[in-house]
Amino acid sequence: MVDPAEPDGMDLVHLLREVTLRLDLAGAQFAGRNGLHPTDLRALIGLLDAARAGTESTPGRLGAGLGLNSAGTTALIDRLERLGLIRRVRDTRDRRRVLLEVDERAVALGRSFFGPLIDRTLALLATFEPGEQAAIRRFLSGVRDTVGEGETAGERGTVGERETAGEGETAGEGETDEAADRL
């Protein structure tokens, strides 16, 4: 039942929260079944998204995107490399810089689990008219941007508050991206 005191649209906010929780749970189950930490999965998704966008992935960018410090980023990369899911390669334009590439094994592993979910989601999306799809895209893009604005505005607290809460410092603090990219 909808609480009449709630503003219009709160039912959609609650539904979005439920979808987010279910996707997070599915990701955590996948990670656990495959000997990965949920952060490993987020890293792989970030690396795959960057590759799809044609953006080079460096340790510094990966760490910043995950909110990890350089030590945490190095441990993450080492772990994924040991599992054969990613590899470090030297940048051909700047041999001092390291780029990260996702191995095909990681792609196949992800496809084996998430492929059916993606297929069902695409089938559902196909039931919507182009105008409805545009509205869904606009809404989800807006939510993504709104979440990003909150992080930029400092809503996540100070570094000290995050460390106290167990989140650690952000990647690259006290060092340049260039140094972090040589991990």
Side-chain angles (χ1 to χ4, degrees):
M1 183 168 96
V2 175
D3 182 351
E6 287 189 334
D8 286 343
M10 279 304 291
D11 59 326
L12 294 176
V13 170
H14 293 305
L15 185 58
L16 181 60
R17 184 192 63 224
E18 183 180 354
V19 168
T20 301
L21 290 173
R22 287 184 183 197
L23 287 171
D24 191 48
L25 180 60
Q29 289 171 344
F30 167 77
R33 276 189 234 135
N34 290 285
L36 302 171
H37 185 277
T39 302
D40 299 342
L41 179 59
R42 287 191 295 273
L44 289 170
I45 290 169
L47 292 169
L48 288 167
D49 287 348
R52 194 173 16 265
T55 303
E56 292 179 331
S57 294
T58 64
R61 285 184 188 149
L62 178 64
L66 296 172
L68 298 175
N69 62 25
S70 59
T73 302
T74 299
L76 168 71
I77 293 168
D78 288 346
R79 191 169 53 246
L80 293 176
E81 198 170 38
R82 270 193 311 274
L83 292 169
L85 301 175
I86 68 167
R87 61 188 159 277
R88 292 174 171 107
V89 295
R90 291 281 172 201
D91 185 341
T92 57
R93 294 180 313 263
D94 181 352
R95 300 281 302 154
R96 298 170 299 169
R97 197 165 86 130
V98 173
L99 301 176
L100 303 173
E101 293 181 354
V102 177
D103 191 88
E104 277 302 311
R105 289 176 281 188
V107 174
L109 180 66
R111 197 173 290 131
S112 72
F113 183 80
F114 292 105
L117 174 61
I118 291 169
D119 291 343
R120 290 190 308 271
T121 302
L122 288 173
L124 172 63
L125 192 56
T127 67
F128 291 89
E129 297 295 324
E132 293 173 310
Q133 289 183 22
I136 293 166
R137 186 174 295 103
R138 190 174 75 245
F139 174 73
L140 291 175
S141 296
V143 170
R144 177 201 59 210
D145 296 346
T146 299
V147 170
E149 289 168 7
E151 290 177 4
T152 303
E155 290 180 7
R156 291 186 57 212
T158 65
V159 171
E161 290 168 343
R162 288 194 309 271
E163 286 176 344
T164 302
E167 290 182 36
E169 63 185 42
T170 58
E173 286 194 0
E175 62 185 53
T176 65
D177 284 342
E178 193 173 306
D181 293 342
R182 293 187 186 126
L183 295 174

